[in-house]
Amino acid sequence: MHHFKSIVAGLAGVSIFALAGPALAQDSAPAAAQAEPVSDGTEIIVTATRRAERLQDVPLAVSAVTADQLAATGFKDLTNIAYTFSGVQFGTTPNDAGFRVRGVGTLGGFSSASEAPVGLVVDNVVIGFGSPVNSLGDLERIEVLKGPQGTQFGKNASSGVINITTKRPELGAFGGNIFASYASLNERDIHGAVNLPLGKKAALNIFAFDRAYDGFIRNTVRNEEWGGQHNYGARAKLLFEASDAFSVYLIGDYSRQKQDGPTQTWTLNRLTAAQTAPGGIAGLPFVNPAALGVAFGRHNDVSIEDGAGSYDVENYGASLQMDLELGSHTLTSVTAYREFNEAPYTYAIDGLPYQKFFAKATGETKRFYSQELRITSPSGRALEYIAGVFLSRQKTGLGDGQSALLRPALPYSAFPAVSITAGYNITRTTSDSAALFFDGKYHLTDTLRLIGGGRLTRDKVSASNFSYVDPALPPFVPPMPSNNFTPSGTVPYTARTLQTGEAKKTDFSGRAGLEFKPDRDLLFYATYARGYLGPTVTFSALTGTRSQVAPQIVNDVTAGAKMQFLNRTLTVNINAFWDKYKDLQTSVFNGQEFLTENAGSAEVKGFELELVARPGAGFSANASFTYSDAKFTDYLTACPTVFVVEGTAAAQCNAPGSTAATPLYQAAGNVLPGSPKYSAVVGVNWERPLTDSIMFDAAANLSFRSKTQNAVADRYTIQEAYEIVNLNVGIGDTDGAWRVGAFVRNLFNVDFNSAILGLPFSDGGYVNWRSREARRTIGLSLEGRF
């Protein structure tokens, strides 16, 4: 195991917009190191820049939601913040994994290690994979920073950052909380925390959770319910304020997630007429859809896949943050380690009630090490800055690989059986990154400031791929008189020899701009930023196909205004953005698997509007709207399957460089996969005392997404626009000692899919990637504090 030490930095003004509610965020650095602003009870104090500042004083496009605001929606999972922030989505499918901001995210299922364009940071720690946040009960706030963020955080976040802060231990106080809820689909959520003072200078906070729900996809072939999950874990945090000048913050967490059925929660959407006709792979006499209780289409929630599946993963890690005051400056060190362990699993991806495709994996381990050291200047001086260094190492593919078997002649014949992975396929990757950071603000006058920073990054990725014989595959039996000249078993194959690849690059990213603040309630800003996402080399999961992936570069221009009116009861924040991507890292589906590649270029342009109104005590309303026009401007890719199946490939796929064997499609003008042009969130919160000791509260939230297309130029992958409404009401003690509530998610039971994708090995089939949130959920909750 290698351990890395270093120095890192990230500061820049960042504007965070609260969706609703009078929450006050807590500072995460020693109080003496910062000149903290004073809140009047309606302001939000944010620390996304790693410095406590008023929301309206930070000149960047950022949104935020507090724990109370998130709890009011009734959502339980971090991925559901997509229904709380406009312009944010979360993808779970192979070609859209992770968060997406302003229409851009991870556009491909990279089988080797790859950085995400939208980074995830939890308690100052960059998260390389998975998520340590499998319960929302321990959160202080979630912040979404939009656009390139390399100068604020220690990783190549070229399109944004999801920055999460959990609740810190409280010195000198004993207390805790407990929460329990029960809802549709046997959804259970229990979590609680206790804060223990350890003398006058230290405190320990322990949080634990257990939540689960039953499956939401009926598998009629196996008589099982798929998609159900069970998540449990704990987080322990120790804060030691050794003196006014030195503090130590130690965090350890563990979580486990189990899922019933395979990770691909899909159902058959569309098959060609030939496939469903008598004699077709999904027609009589081989498949009788009516007898299996399935009707193909966008709303199909019945699976007829015969392959067993399950998923079991552990995610754990630790971090140590130390803050030392050096005069008026603060030196901060953050050391972290994370590990992700998958248990062995099996799956099928043919969607059919017989074993056409079968795969098994031995499980994979991933490890991530990081070290950050930064210096923070005091606030209120002519020059305010943060500077430092960051080092990290990520190792993936630590396992014995995957083996996949395809029977292309089924249902007509069980032979040939083809090992499409050449036995067990293994890809191992080590990604090293080192960076120098500087970011700050210089006061030219009392109202005009110069803002900016830079980051010099060195990335190196080393990967290897090979395969070895799978001893469990049935051996090949050639045709002979004893078997009536009928061959059987697995077609002979040769395991792939070791192949290696390396990618390395040193590059610069940064930002520069101006902010103008004529008075306390008005701020105008404009910035230019260059974002950078490091290079990588990947090998595909099935065939080991190698892809050399160049760095992704984005040039971002953002201009905005933050304004408050009517004695600060109305807040209006608006920004316009233009992003130009070069060598966009993406993937293409070749009919069998996703292959990583670079698109030539893409352009994203649009604007964001956020409003908060607090006309009176106990009531607030919020609205946010994002318009994001995200399109490829140059993308030469393999001919989409839809054109091949429809017989229009010759007319559509004739871009320069095409051949009869390799037709190419120029996707310029096509929307980026998974990117809605319009998204909006509207919410209201209301509190009213019923008696001197009893309070009534109510919250409503509406989230809208316009249509998305999940594959380039493929109209069969369009998910139409939809909106969901969530309600939460309750009564409780005015001091917060207890609360009884009721909540409804997706009040009108709007059905939608996370994505619609091409079905592998089907030549024209499509599947729905189903979502737990596409079902109405009604529940009750009980919580208390002591």
Side-chain angles (χ1 to χ4, degrees), residues 69 183 303 623 625 651 682 770:
Q69 295 165 347
S303 170
F625 175 81
V682 179
R770 303 296 288 167

Side-chain angles (χ1 to χ4, degrees), residues 56-130:
Q56 297 304 108
D57 290 342
V58 285
L60 282 179
V62 181
S63 299
V65 62
T66 66
D68 290 341
Q69 295 165 347
L70 197 61
T73 67
F75 288 119
K76 308 294 184 182
D77 196 285
L78 177 62
T79 63
N80 296 141
I81 66 171
Y83 305 113
T84 305
F85 296 99
S86 69
V88 177
Q89 293 84 41
F90 184 83
T92 58
T93 65
N95 68 331
D96 184 21
F99 285 101
R100 177 185 297 272
V101 173
R102 289 178 173 173
V104 180
T106 301
L107 300 179
F110 294 178
S111 57
S112 301
S114 178
E115 295 180 323
V118 178
L120 176 64
V121 177
V122 179
D123 289 328
N124 283 323
V125 175
V126 173
I127 307 300
F129 41 74

Side-chain angles (χ1 to χ4, degrees), residues 316-560:
Y316 54 87
S319 65
L320 174 64
Q321 177 174 331
M322 295 182 289
D323 295 282
L324 174 66
E325 290 184 29
L326 301 174
S328 58
H329 290 65
T330 301
L331 180 67
T332 299
S333 170
V334 181
T335 306
Y337 169 77
R338 297 214 60 80
E339 184 158 321
F340 180 92
N341 289 320
E342 285 179 334
Y345 59 94
T346 62
Y347 60 97
I349 58 173
D350 50 58
L352 301 170
Y354 48 82
Q355 197 181 87
K356 190 177 185 69
F357 177 98
F358 173 78
K360 55 186 176 179
T362 62
E364 180 186 7
T365 293
K366 303 178 183 179
R367 298 191 179 108
F368 185 78
Y369 318 81
S370 64
Q371 173 63 47
E372 176 179 349
L373 190 64
R374 66 179 184 264
I375 187 78
T376 306
S377 74
S379 299
R381 296 190 178 180
L383 176 64
E384 301 173 0
Y385 66 88
I386 288 182
V389 181
F390 176 89
L391 296 178
S392 69
R393 165 166 285 188
Q394 179 170 292
K395 303 183 76 172
T396 65
L398 304 178
D400 293 326
Q402 298 186 28
S403 175
L405 187 72
L406 178 65
R407 294 180 175 89
L410 275 179
Y412 305 102
S413 172
F415 185 85
V418 182
S419 175
I420 58 176
T421 52
Y424 273 101
N425 176 69
I426 298 178
T427 296
R428 295 189 175 125
T429 307
T430 298
S431 303
D432 292 326
S433 183
L436 297 171
F437 292 88
F438 176 87
D439 198 277
K441 176 188 299 186
Y442 183 74
H443 296 248
L444 298 172
T445 69
D446 290 342
T447 59
L448 186 64
R449 290 119 188 180
L450 179 67
I451 54 178
R455 167 194 173 100
L456 183 65
T457 304
R458 174 65 174 178
D459 287 311
K460 179 181 178 181
V461 180
S462 301
S464 63
N465 175 267
F466 64 94
S467 71
Y468 63 94
V469 173
D470 181 353
L473 294 181
F476 174 66
V477 179
M480 61 186 70
S482 61
N483 61 14
N484 198 26
F485 298 98
T486 302
S488 61
T490 308
V491 173
Y493 64 90
T494 301
R496 287 193 303 276
T497 58
L498 178 69
Q499 55 177 332
T500 61
E502 184 177 87
K504 51 187 176 181
K505 180 74 173 178
T506 301
D507 212 324
F508 179 81
S509 57
R511 69 186 185 99
L514 288 171
E515 69 164 284
F516 175 61
K517 191 169 179 60
D519 63 44
R520 188 178 189 271
D521 296 335
L522 295 175
L523 183 148
F524 305 92
Y525 63 93
T527 59
Y528 161 77
R530 183 182 193 269
Y532 164 79
L533 191 67
T536 190
V537 56
T538 74
F539 297 93
S540 65
L542 294 181
T543 63
T545 300
R546 173 178 161 173
S547 298
Q548 201 77 29
V549 187
Q552 175 176 298
I553 305 297
V554 55
N555 290 285
D556 166 82
V557 176
T558 298

Side-chain angles (χ1 to χ4, degrees), residues 160-221:
V161 165
I162 309 297
N163 183 40
I164 297 173
T165 303
T166 67
K167 295 177 181 177
R168 290 167 64 91
E170 185 178 354
L171 298 179
F174 172 79
N177 60 77
I178 185 71
F179 175 95
S181 68
Y182 183 82
S184 309
L185 283 183
N186 203 27
E187 178 182 288
R188 298 91 66 195
D189 183 14
I190 300 174
H191 59 76
V194 60
N195 191 90
L196 303 171
L198 304 176
K200 296 181 179 180
K201 296 185 176 182
L204 175 67
N205 184 285
I206 300 175
F207 170 78
F209 69 94
D210 188 294
R211 66 184 185 90
Y213 55 82
D214 292 346
F216 53 92
I217 295 175
R218 177 65 180 163
N219 185 296
T220 57
V221 172

Side-chain angles (χ1 to χ4, degrees), residues 33-52:
Q34 320 263 350
E36 290 196 20
V38 177
S39 170
D40 63 4
T42 61
E43 298 287 358
I44 301 276
I45 307 302
V46 298
T47 56
T49 61
R50 312 213 172 164
R51 185 190 301 271

